[in-house]
Amino acid sequence: MLRSRSVHWLDHAAAVLTRRRRLFAGGWGDEGVLERVPAVARFAEAPRAAEVTWGRARREGPVEVTDGWFAAACPGLPPCASTAFVRRIAPAAPERGRRRPVYVALAASGEEGFASRTRLWRPLAAREGIEVILLENALYGLRRPAGQRATAIRTVAEHLLMNLATVEETRALVEHLAREGYERIGVVGFSMGGVSAALAAAVTARPLAVAVIGAGRSVVPVFTEGMLSISIEFEALGGAAAARARLGALFGAADLDRHPAPRRLDAVVIVGGRHDGYVFAEQVEELHALWRASELRWLDTGHAGAVVYQGEALRRAAVDAMDRLGS
């Protein structure tokens, strides 16, 4: 088993650059939300299909881009986040026969707007004939509360609400796509987006293609041990030792061994970095061991380097997962 903790230099640089983005400077937040997390994170209720309103498509070279919105599926969000915004990137060529395959692509931590994911996933539509739908996270970008600094989630409760909302809205989008006649649907994401994609697939009854990139069985070590923890305002949480214990209990409700496996494990591709300082290699191994029929691929880089240097490998993982769903 791989147990490397050698960290890529780019992860060290990213940690230094992002440490100014102080996480949880507002403390724990709404205790009512924190008390509900264990129950809500089971996602026991069947999802409702999102009622998406689409704007006018615009041609951008080999793709068409369409913006849309729908009512958020997760209760408890502030009014600013009650509308979910999406962007669809589709091949410009007309459809022939059955609908194209489609991915819901989820955002990484601190990723506001659609620009970064457009660069990463647009080639799926431009070259591979796979539509991509980008979801703006609650409390980010167009859904950010007034006065909140970009990407700086103020409280633990708000962060958990964002995570829960992302999974619920992903499930709602999957149901919407199924009702629209899409036969091959997938979820893909990097880092926090990979966690959300994995959890959404686990708690969705439909078979999905799944590409999990830079994520493992549990997010707890990410917040308590990994390089993201450098950005956490532990003093606002009552001190590092007690805060790490409580963060573990709260975020542990989403551990993937507490949920079913995705329905088509043969259509799951997991991608990890050998020198990842945010999501340790053993966490990725633990997810692969839990989802035994999945495929695990290693990149000889770290967390940030996966996106900066290995975009083609990430897209190949998504394409292969979707191909397997159709086989």
Side-chain angles (χ1 to χ4, degrees):
M1 292 179 66
L2 182 64
R3 293 293 178 187
S4 173
R5 284 288 179 91
S6 62
V7 177
H8 194 277
W9 69 267
L10 197 56
D11 284 0
H12 285 291
V16 171
L17 290 173
T18 59
R19 68 185 307 166
R20 296 178 183 175
R21 177 171 59 97
R22 305 307 296 170
L23 282 175
F24 314 145
W28 293 102
D30 188 335
E31 287 292 337
V33 171
L34 300 179
E35 290 174 3
R36 294 197 302 272
V37 164
V40 176
R42 288 197 289 268
F43 301 98
E45 294 185 11
R48 295 182 179 180
E51 299 291 339
V52 183
T53 300
W54 292 106
R56 179 175 295 182
R58 58 188 183 273
R59 182 75 176 260
E60 295 185 2
V63 302
E64 282 189 346
V65 179
T66 312
D67 290 329
W69 59 93
F70 62 94
C74 183
L77 290 173
C80 64
S82 62
T83 298
F85 296 96
V86 290
R87 176 167 292 176
R88 178 168 58 196
I89 305 172
E95 296 178 8
R96 298 181 184 276
R98 67 178 185 174
R99 282 192 177 272
R100 302 183 185 95
V102 58
Y103 267 110
V104 179
L106 304 177
S109 179
E111 184 182 345
E112 293 196 320
F114 302 124
S116 296
R117 279 174 292 160
T118 295
R119 287 191 294 271
L120 181 58
W121 302 119
R122 183 180 184 274
L124 292 183
R127 300 199 310 249
E128 305 291 346
I130 300 175
E131 292 187 24
V132 181
I133 294 179
L134 312 176
L135 171 67
E136 175 88 289
N137 275 14
L139 307 179
Y140 276 179
L142 294 171
R143 309 175 70 183
R144 192 198 318 155
Q148 177 177 294
R149 292 176 57 196
T151 73
I153 299 297
R154 293 180 55 258
T155 69
V156 175
E158 288 175 349
H159 199 290
L160 289 166
L161 264 180
M162 176 181 67
N163 297 150
L164 295 169
T166 300
V167 174
E168 286 288 14
E169 290 163 13
T170 300
R171 298 169 81 207
L173 281 171
V174 167
E175 291 303 307
H176 166 78
L177 294 167
R179 292 190 182 186
E180 289 291 304
Y182 288 85
E183 297 176 5
R184 289 189 290 161
I185 304 170
V187 288
V188 61
F190 163 71
S191 189
M192 184 175 71
V195 174
S196 298
L199 184 53
V203 298
T204 297
R206 296 184 183 277
L208 301 173
V210 187
V212 179
I213 303 160
R217 179 193 61 82
S218 172
V219 299
V220 173
V222 176
F223 287 93
T224 60
E225 301 176 47
M227 301 194 81
L228 182 68
S229 65
I230 296 172
S231 298
I232 293 178
E233 196 70 68
F234 282 111
E235 289 186 8
L237 301 178
R244 283 189 170 92
R246 193 179 186 197
L247 288 171
L250 289 167
F251 283 98
D255 284 358
L256 289 164
D257 53 5
R258 299 188 179 190
H259 300 279
R263 304 311 182 265
R264 283 287 304 272
L265 279 174
D266 60 318
V268 175
V269 179
I270 302 167
V271 182
R274 294 182 184 275
H275 309 292
D276 194 323
Y278 288 81
V279 180
F280 301 133
E282 54 262 37
Q283 299 167 236
V284 180
E285 285 186 325
E286 287 173 5
L287 178 57
H288 178 51
L290 180 67
W291 293 354
R292 290 185 177 276
S294 64
E295 180 187 356
L296 173 57
R297 299 180 181 179
W298 289 110
L299 302 176
D300 193 25
T301 187
H303 200 71
V307 173
V308 174
Y309 300 126
Q310 299 287 343
E312 197 59 40
L314 306 189
R315 290 186 286 271
R316 176 47 51 190
V319 170
D320 291 347
M322 188 63 76
D323 285 347
R324 293 168 191 177
L325 183 67
S327 63

